[in-house]
Amino acid sequence: MSGNRTFTMIKPDAVENNYIGGILKMINEAGFRIKAMKFTRLTKEAAGAFYAVHKERPFYGELVEYMSGGPIVAAILEKDNAVEDFRKLIGATNPEEAEEGTIRKIYAKSIAANAVHGSDSDENAEIEGSFFFSQLERF
Ligand code: ATP
Ligand code: MG
């Protein structure tokens, strides 16, 4: 059975462009409830650790620089079938390939600066949520 929580970040480009409100509105209107949220900034070390699965990819250095380059919003979201439904809501990694009406189609600039993160499995949603939030901060 699929889980009911996922983890998201509003990435530095979207924060810089004042898209936090618009993105949260889309998230709420799609039926997700916010169970934890913080406005924060990743150090290079923390961004490197968060994206460690991509360490061998050619874009890893760029990804770490970009994700630590400005503040982000981190949040745990709740909805039935959360991981899959949220990936649908955000759209493809490359905004040029994202479907109309998805968050990345509307708010992302490029494949590197693509406005939002969404967990890709229930297991990673739990790991990523724990990266940012203690048990006491989850509701
Ligand atoms: P995320 O994990 O952030 O939700 P995703 O699951 O759609 O995105 P991944 O393959 O996990 O995509 O890549 C993680 C992130 O690395 C992407 O969101 C993007 O910011 C960056 N990235 C992926 N591919 C490229 C690329 N070819 N060039 C530059 N950056 C990339
Ligand atoms: Mg991913």
Side-chain angles (χ1 to χ4, degrees), residues 7-9 11 13 50-51 53-54 57-60 62-64 66-67 86-87 90-94 104 110-120 128:
F7 171 80
T8 188
M9 284 184 283
K11 296 185 177 184
D13 59 298
F50 186 88
Y51 279 113
V53 289
H54 295 310
R57 310 272 286 273
F59 57 81
Y60 180 70
E62 181 191 353
L63 178 61
V64 169
Y66 156 65
M67 287 303 298
F86 193 70
R87 298 284 302 194
I90 68 179
T93 309
N94 184 349
R104 283 172 170 163
S110 67
I111 191 167
N114 60 2
V116 279
H117 166 81
S119 303
D120 59 12
E128 292 168 2

Side-chain angles (χ1 to χ4, degrees), residues 27-128:
I27 289 171
N28 282 147
E29 286 178 353
F32 292 89
R33 295 191 67 82
I34 294 165
K35 307 304 286 187
M37 186 159 74
K38 67 174 67 157
F39 186 86
T40 184
R41 182 169 176 164
L42 290 165
T43 61
K44 267 190 202 178
E45 292 68 30
F50 186 88
Y51 279 113
V53 289
H54 295 310
K55 213 181 297 184
E56 306 307 326
R57 310 272 286 273
F59 57 81
Y60 180 70
E62 181 191 353
L63 178 61
V64 169
E65 287 295 324
Y66 156 65
M67 287 303 298
S68 58
I72 57 132
V73 175
I76 294 173
L77 305 175
E78 188 173 88
K79 181 186 182 298
D80 289 346
N81 202 34
V83 166
E84 191 185 344
D85 286 1
F86 193 70
R87 298 284 302 194
K88 274 191 205 136
L89 177 65
I90 68 179
T93 309
N94 184 349
E96 285 175 18
E97 291 163 14
E99 278 186 45
E100 291 299 328
T102 59
I103 291 175
R104 283 172 170 163
K105 184 71 179 185
I106 296 168
Y107 291 113
K109 285 193 293 214
S110 67
I111 191 167
N114 60 2
V116 279
H117 166 81
S119 303
D120 59 12
S121 66
D122 290 345
E123 189 192 359
N124 284 336
E126 174 57 33
I127 293 168
E128 292 168 2

Side-chain angles (χ1 to χ4, degrees), residues 122-139:
D122 290 345
E123 189 192 359
N124 284 336
E126 174 57 33
I127 293 168
E128 292 168 2
S130 304
F131 190 92
F132 283 90
F133 300 102
S134 71
Q135 283 302 330
L136 283 172
E137 293 170 306
R138 301 158 176 231
F139 297 96

